Amino acid sequence: MHIVALHNLKGGVGKTAAAVNLADQAARGGLPTLLWDLDPQAAATWCLNARPGLGRAPKKLFRRNAPIGKERQRTRWPYLDLLPADESLRHLDALIEKGKDGGRLLHGLLEPFSESYGLLLLDCPPSFSRLAEAVVRAADRVLCPLIPAPLSLNAWRQMEGHFDRRRYGRDKLRAFLTMVDRRRRLHRDWVAARPTSLRRCYETWIPYSTEVEKMSLRREPLMAFAPRSPASVAYARLWSELAREL
Ligand SMILES: Nc1ncnc2c1ncn2[C@@H]1O[C@H](COP(=O)(O)OP(=O)(O)O)[C@@H](O)[C@H]1O
Ligand SMILES: [Mg+2]
């Protein structure tokens, strides 16, 4: 099972949009996929038309090798399941903080999923919580969406620096450009040639598109209602680029 996390210290950069659409793309290709919504704001859960909340109390949920998989929900789309967002993730965060080895706790929780899924996508909250740290450690790839802007490069360098200090291996970190508005000069420049400090950036960029915004009204992935929109095509390409590497 490949583990891919969407992560950026900034909010509102398109992590959730990418997580939902990449999960959808993978599932459409017949790869059994689980999307775990780790953000208590529950945006991914909402976009997949599911209910937030895990059934059992956190103490029961987050023991090592606990069958957290029982909490997953089927979605309307074949091969695509969801582990919805839940307030109790704070509890998991605290458990990881308290325990000596948060990574092992998370590993124990994720391990059973490898029997049922080829891909686990994790939609992270915009922070470096203990949980996010453990997720990043466990992930094969950490995708960081960036909106073309000078400050985005700071965010990227911060991520790289953090990965180095914690020895997560910056090789697993990937950037991709999102919300690209070709009417804007800087956006066109970055599409034509990525800034030199932006290494390991995918070729594919996601255009700014009102169709993406509509996902939260329609509560479905882009492919379900606008399969031919440029953004939909871009997510499909992004998935191919990612899948080639896995
Ligand atoms: N490519 C895009 N074009 C236009 N709007 C977008 C695009 N990607 C995301 N959005 C919108 O921007 C907002 C933040 O996106 P979201 O994916 O929730 O970001 P994050 O998960 O990083 O906080 C949402 O309202 C979403 O609909
Ligand atoms: Mg989000």
Side-chain angles (χ1 to χ4, degrees), residues 3-4 7 13-14 18 27 72 83 111 133 137 139-140 145-146 153-155 182 189 192 210 214 222 228-229:
I3 304 180
V4 176
H7 195 18
V13 294
R72 71 194 152 183
L83 205 49
E111 176 65 48
E133 305 251 351
R137 206 184 279 279
D140 302 303
L146 295 177
L153 291 180
N154 291 2
R182 292 182 59 96
D189 288 350
T210 50
K214 282 186 203 148
L222 208 46
R228 274 188 276 279
S229 73

Side-chain angles (χ1 to χ4, degrees), residues 17 32 56 69 71 75 86 92 95 103 111 121 130 178-179 207 214 217-218 224 226 243:
R56 283 167 301 157
E71 304 291 336
T75 68
D86 191 275
L92 180 57
L95 274 181
E111 176 65 48
L121 262 167
R130 292 293 164 153
T178 49
M179 301 199 207
K214 282 186 203 148
L217 292 172
R218 308 266 322 206

